[in-house]
């Protein structure tokens, strides 16, 4: 007879299984790759410890052209997805994606590793991400511990981004920046790819099947056991009365996929943001015929290639405007 310890509480195949005794078996996102020079993109990366206390690191990426550039580059701070439970900043999935994006956009990127649930339930991932962002911001005067950030980053041109849970984190940090200013860091925009937002009641044509909604609720409760539920502002910030009012940037790009169960939340986010007190620019990209994080699973498919170029263009729009006006920071 199967013991209670081996009974499955949440079957998150193909990503994880959570057992009734609290153990989690991660079925994907467990492989790590080392940093270094990527011969395909000519992007170089290195790992740096941003918090001795929680033993967490970031992976920093710079394009091969940075040493010959006369201008400092935009900075993208990236938060990986995985339902707050799987994946890392060092997995081949994210390493390959950021190599490609850094090469395409000609930017510096910082990929943040954070502690994961259930071993470290939320808000640990939010707290770690904020700590990492403060560490990055500490380089703005050029005297921080990492020379790549000191020498190559234009801190007046910063973006936050992530996919799924990482997009959720990006939104919340953009709000937190409004209340807790980071000296020297100007957040221009956020890029939310297939954002992990949810809610008790379906929106639009969102799936109404009880089994699917229960599974989504279960994943959220796994990440945040003490949550108030699926209308908790951490997972459903869109229905908060102050939504948009304190978003600390003026540009937002939301990417959704036609077959993604969370697609409608992305559209809902955009519509609510447009009708809020925010007053910035919001853009949408929808990939037809594809599912959640397809761009990571199929990076060479036409939709993924197109989306990579659109994200790079979104980041570089401000850079082009500033160069035209002669305001670009120099190395």
């Amino acid at each position: 007879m199967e013991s209670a310890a081996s009974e499955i509480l949440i079957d998150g195949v193909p990503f994880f299984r959570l057992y009734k005794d609290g153990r989690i078996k991660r079925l994907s996102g467990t492989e790590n790759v080392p940093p270094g020079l990527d011969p395909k993109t000519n992007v170089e990366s290195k790992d740096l410890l941003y918090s001795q206390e929680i033993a967490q690191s970031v992976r920093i990426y710079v394009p091969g052209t940075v040493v010959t550039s006369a201008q400092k580059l935009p900075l993208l701070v990236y938060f990986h997805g995985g339902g707050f439970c799987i994946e890392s900043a060092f997995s081949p999935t994210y390493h390959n994606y950021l190599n490609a994006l850094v090469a395409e956009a000609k930017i510096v990127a910082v990929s943040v590793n954070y502690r994961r649930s259930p071993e470290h339930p939320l808000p640990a991932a939010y707290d770690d991400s904020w700590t990492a962002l403060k560490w990055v911001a500490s380089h703005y005067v050029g005297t921080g511990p990492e020379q790549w950030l000191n020498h190559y980053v234009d801190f007046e041109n910063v973006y936050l981004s992530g996919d799924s849970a990482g997009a959720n984190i990006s939104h919340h940090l953009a709000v937190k920046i409004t209340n807790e200013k980071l000296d020297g860091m100007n957040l221009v925009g956020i890029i939310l790819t297939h954002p992990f937002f949810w809610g008790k009641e379906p929106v639009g044509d969102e799936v109404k099947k009880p089994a699917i909604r229960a599974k989504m609720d279960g994943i959220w409760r796994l990440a945040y056991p003490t949550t108030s539920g699926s209308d908790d502002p951490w997972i459903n910030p869109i229905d908060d009365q102050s939504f948009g009012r304190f978003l600390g940037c003026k540009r937002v790009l939301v990417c959704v996929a036609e077959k993604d169960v969370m697609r409608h939340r992305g559209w809902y986010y955009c519509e609510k943001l447009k009708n809020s007190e925010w007053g910035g620019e919001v853009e949408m990209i929808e990939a037809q015929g594809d599912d959640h994080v397809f761009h990571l699973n199929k990076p060479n498919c036409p939709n993924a290639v197109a989306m990579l170029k659109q994200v790079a263009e979104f980041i570089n729009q401000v850079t082009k405007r500033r160069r035209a006006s002669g305001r670009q920071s120099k190395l």
Side-chain angles (χ1 to χ4, degrees):
M1 186 175 179
E2 189 176 41
S3 67
S6 63
E7 291 181 25
I8 297 172
L9 179 63
I10 298 177
D11 193 349
V13 171
F15 308 111
F16 66 86
R17 282 195 179 100
L18 180 69
Y19 296 89
K20 287 188 176 180
D21 66 352
R23 290 180 299 113
I24 186 171
K25 183 177 182 180
R26 293 181 172 90
L27 306 174
S28 67
T30 58
E31 182 184 358
N32 290 338
V33 293
L37 179 64
D38 179 51
K40 184 178 179 181
T41 60
N42 198 30
V43 169
E44 191 169 357
S45 58
K46 66 168 79 170
D47 294 342
L48 276 299
L49 189 72
Y50 70 83
S51 174
Q52 188 75 42
E53 181 181 0
I54 59 175
Q56 292 297 312
S57 300
V58 296
R59 179 163 291 182
I60 305 175
Y61 298 80
V62 296
T65 56
V66 71
V67 293
T68 60
S69 173
Q71 307 291 343
K72 290 194 173 186
L73 304 179
L75 172 66
L76 178 74
V77 183
Y78 195 89
F79 307 95
H80 71 82
F84 302 100
C85 300
I86 64 170
E87 289 290 359
S88 77
F90 316 121
S91 77
T93 297
Y94 289 100
H95 185 68
N96 292 337
Y97 174 70
L98 285 166
N99 275 328
L101 181 58
V102 166
E104 179 68 33
K106 303 297 187 294
I107 58 175
V108 176
V110 175
S111 183
V112 176
N113 210 47
Y114 52 80
R115 291 172 295 170
R116 302 171 301 184
S117 293
E119 298 93 334
H120 303 282
L122 292 176
Y126 296 117
D127 294 340
D128 295 356
S129 299
W130 180 247
T131 298
L133 193 59
K134 289 193 293 183
W135 179 84
V136 171
S138 72
H139 293 78
Y140 82 96
V141 294
T143 58
E146 173 43 46
Q147 294 308 308
W148 282 3
L149 299 181
N150 290 333
H151 294 324
Y152 301 140
V153 170
D154 177 5
F155 282 96
E156 287 295 315
N157 199 359
V158 178
Y159 289 81
L160 305 182
S161 182
D163 63 283
S164 197
N168 177 299
I169 292 172
S170 297
H171 165 82
H172 286 292
L173 292 195
V175 173
K176 192 175 180 70
I177 280 176
T178 302
N179 300 316
E180 302 183 33
K181 299 291 186 182
L182 292 180
D183 289 341
M185 177 180 282
N186 178 45
L187 182 63
V188 176
I190 57 176
I191 302 159
L192 310 182
T193 302
H194 309 166
F196 182 21
F197 298 131
W198 202 240
K200 184 176 180 180
E201 298 298 326
V203 297
D205 295 328
E206 192 173 79
V207 62
K208 298 177 175 63
K209 294 179 181 179
I212 295 177
R213 298 197 68 80
K215 187 171 185 177
M216 294 293 294
D217 294 344
I219 292 172
W220 171 241
R221 287 190 178 277
L222 167 62
Y224 203 166
T226 59
T227 181
S228 60
S230 294
D231 279 334
D232 187 318
W234 288 109
I235 191 66
N236 185 16
I238 310 171
D239 286 332
D240 191 295
Q241 289 186 349
S242 63
F243 177 70
R245 188 185 309 165
F246 303 111
L247 193 62
C249 63
K250 288 300 181 183
R251 304 184 70 228
V252 173
L253 174 64
V254 179
C255 306
V256 298
E258 181 187 18
K259 295 184 178 180
D260 185 2
V261 70
M262 289 178 277
R263 164 184 176 262
H264 297 281
R265 292 282 158 175
W267 279 105
Y268 187 50
Y269 182 99
C270 286
E271 290 306 313
K272 291 281 283 190
L273 197 57
K274 288 177 182 177
N275 295 320
S276 72
E277 300 175 29
W278 175 57
E281 306 172 16
V282 59
E283 298 181 27
M284 278 291 300
I285 297 173
E286 178 163 1
Q288 298 300 312
D290 275 310
D291 210 331
H292 194 65
V293 297
F294 71 90
H295 65 298
L296 301 177
N297 300 324
K298 304 182 298 178
N300 296 318
C301 76
N303 278 343
V305 172
M307 191 174 84
L308 186 78
K309 292 183 180 297
Q310 288 170 303
V311 169
E313 176 61 24
F314 179 80
I315 295 172
N316 285 319
Q317 283 172 8
V318 168
T319 303
K320 291 175 181 177
R321 293 175 197 166
R322 294 179 68 200
R323 284 177 178 169
S325 64
R327 292 172 48 234
Q328 182 69 11
S329 299
K330 294 184 178 181
L331 293 173

